[in-house]
Amino acid sequence: MDLTIQTISEETEHQVILGGEIDAYTCPKVKERLLSLLEAGATRLTVDLKAVEYMDSTGIGMFVALMKACKRSGCSFFVENLSERVERLFRITGFYDLIAIRKGEEA
Amino acid sequence: MTRRLEEEYVQILRDYLNSQEEDELYGAQKLGKWLLLKDISPEELVDLHSRALESVEEVPEFVRASFRMLTEVMIEYGNAHRSLQSWRNKHAQLQSEVEIASAMQQSLLPQTIPTYPGVEIGVVSIAANGMSGDYYDFMHFSGHRFSLTIGDITGKGIPAAMCMSMLKYAVDSLGEIQLGPNQMLRHLNRVVERNIDPSMFVTMLFGCYDTNHHCFRYAVAGHEPGFLYRAREGKFYDLEGRGIALGISADSTYVEHEVALQTGDVLILLTDGVTESKKGRSYLVREDLVGFLQNEVDKPAQLMADEIYRRLMMLAQFEQRDDYTMIVLRRT
C-alpha cells in the first residue's frame, strides 16, 4: 500500500503531511512517526490529510489514540484538509466533533 | 547421513569430473534439493564434499586444509539454516492456531439465516482474510419481534476477533433483557469502553423489527445506517441516524429512530467494506452503490445480496481489501 509522510518542523511545532492510503497496514508507520515527534517534546502536531486518497476506521482509531496521547502530554493536536470522503468517515463514526478539525481557511 | 547418499554423491562428483558435462550438473541440482529436504546442514555438506573428493582421487594436503577452513566458515550458515527450520515450525503452528481461531469465530456468527413471518432476509458476510472484524446477529425476542445487529470492529485479524467474542457475549446477555435500541447501545458502549484498547472502537447499528406492525426501531453508534427502499416510489433513501462509535466515551447516549415498512420495501444494512469498495483505481460513490441496488432490488433478498457482492468484487478486480457484510431485509 502506498503511503507518504512528510514532516515540516519549526522547533517543537510540526506539520505532518500524509498522502496515499491509511489503513491497517500503513497505520503503524504513521503512528510511529507521530508518537516519535510527541516523545521528542512536540508542543503542536498538525496532521494534513489533503493528499490522503483512502482511509478506513483503523485510521480514525489511530487519530483518536493520538489525540488522547497528545492531551496527556499537553501537546495541541489538529487534523486539517480533509477530503470529502475522509470528512464523511469522521462524521459517520461520530469523531468529527471530538477531534480538533481545521478546515480550508483556518488551516 | 546415509551410506547410500554418500555413494550417490561420490558417483555424481566422479561423473562430472570425468565428463564435465552440463547433464551431470543437473543431477547435482536435483541432489541439492533432496539434501535440503533431508535437512542436511551446510557444514555437513562441505564435509560430505570433502570426503567424496578423497574417495575419487588423492587430495593434496592444502586442499584438505582449505576444506577444514570452509567447514568452520559454514558453521554460522548452519546455525541460520537451523533457526529457519525452527521458524518454519513455529509459523506452521501459528498458522494452525489462526485457523482454529477463525473457525471458532465463525461459530460466533449465525450459522443459518433465520426466517420470520412477513419478511425475507438475505446476508453476505465475507472476511477479507481469515478472521473478520464484521459482526452481525439476529435474536428472537418475545412474541413478534426480533433484533438485528450489524457492527464493525476497527482493525482486522486476531485483535478484532477477540473483541468480537466480547461483543457477542455482551449482545447475547443484554438481549435477554430485551432493551430498546438506544438503551442497548448505551449499555454495550459501557462494556466496550471498559474492555477495549484506546485505538480501537466498534461501530454498530442495533434494531428491533416488529413482524406484526412491520416497523423497525433502531439506533446507530458511529455506523453508516444504510438504505431504505420504498417500493411504491421505486426509490432508495439513506437511513437516518448518527451517534458516536462504541468504546470511545463511557457516557455516550444514542437516539432511537423508527421506520415503517410497506409491502415490498427493503432495508439494506451494511458495513464499510461495502461502501468503501474500490472501483478500478478510484472508490465507489453512493450513486454507484444505489445504481447496483436498484438493478437487483426485484430479486429475492439472498440473490440480491449475492449479486451485489459479485458485482462489487468485479468492480474491485476481485481484490477484497476489507471485511464485507450486507443484510437485505424485505417486507413481503
Side-chain angles (χ1 to χ4, degrees), chain A residues 1 21-28 54-59 61, chain B residues 98 101-102 105 126-135 151-164 196 199-202 271-274 276 319-324:
Chain A
M1 295 294 128
E21 302 185 340
I22 303 179
D23 59 16
Y25 304 103
T26 58
C27 254
Y54 171 87
M55 184 163 96
D56 66 9
S57 52
T58 325
Chain B
V98 167
S102 175
Q105 194 202 19
I126 295 171
N129 321 288
M131 274 183 271
S132 179
D134 280 5
Y135 170 75
D152 183 358
I153 300 150
T154 33
K156 298 186 185 68
I158 296 171
M162 288 174 77
C163 180
M164 188 193 286
I196 205 169
S199 65
M200 285 176 83
F201 58 86
V202 177
T271 59
D272 64 357
V274 180
E276 296 295 313
E319 189 203 344
Q320 189 187 332
R321 58 189 288 156
D322 201 357
D323 304 324
Y324 176 111

Side-chain angles (χ1 to χ4, degrees), chain B residues 181-183 185 204-207 217-221 254-257:
Chain B
N182 53 347
Q183 291 303 319
L185 290 185
M204 184 176 280
L205 178 148
F206 180 85
R217 289 189 300 126
Y218 66 95
V220 287
Y254 300 92
V255 180
E256 195 169 299
H257 301 266

Side-chain angles (χ1 to χ4, degrees), chain A residues 21 54 85 88 92-93 98, chain B residues 222 224 244-245 283-284 321:
Chain A
E21 302 185 340
Y54 171 87
R85 204 175 176 86
R88 188 170 164 271
I92 289 171
T93 47
L98 250 160
Chain B
E224 177 147 16
I244 194 146
Y283 294 94
L284 197 74
R321 58 189 288 156

Side-chain angles (χ1 to χ4, degrees), chain B residues 258-271:
Chain B
E258 184 172 329
V259 288
L261 277 79
Q262 309 301 322
T263 305
D265 286 357
V266 184
L267 280 172
I268 312 277
L269 308 178
L270 33 76
T271 59

Side-chain angles (χ1 to χ4, degrees), chain A residues 55-92:
Chain A
M55 184 163 96
D56 66 9
S57 52
T58 325
I60 298 266
M62 174 191 67
F63 286 128
V64 173
L66 275 166
M67 181 188 75
K68 290 180 182 170
C70 284
K71 209 171 187 175
R72 281 196 299 273
S73 316
C75 167
S76 41
F77 181 74
F78 301 96
V79 177
E80 66 183 20
N81 288 325
L82 281 67
S83 69
E84 204 181 310
R85 204 175 176 86
V86 171
E87 182 176 322
R88 188 170 164 271
L89 182 63
F90 272 94
R91 285 192 188 278
I92 289 171

Side-chain angles (χ1 to χ4, degrees), chain B residues 127-178:
Chain B
N129 321 288
M131 274 183 271
S132 179
D134 280 5
Y135 170 75
Y136 73 98
D137 205 2
F138 301 92
M139 272 185 295
H140 184 75
F141 278 6
S142 59
H144 39 82
R145 290 189 308 136
F146 68 91
S147 78
L148 200 163
T149 318
I150 183 164
D152 183 358
I153 300 150
T154 33
K156 298 186 185 68
I158 296 171
M162 288 174 77
C163 180
M164 188 193 286
S165 66
M166 165 186 72
L167 208 57
K168 161 82 177 166
Y169 295 127
V171 172
D172 274 4
S173 315
L174 292 168
E176 289 290 318
I177 42 178
Q178 305 196 2

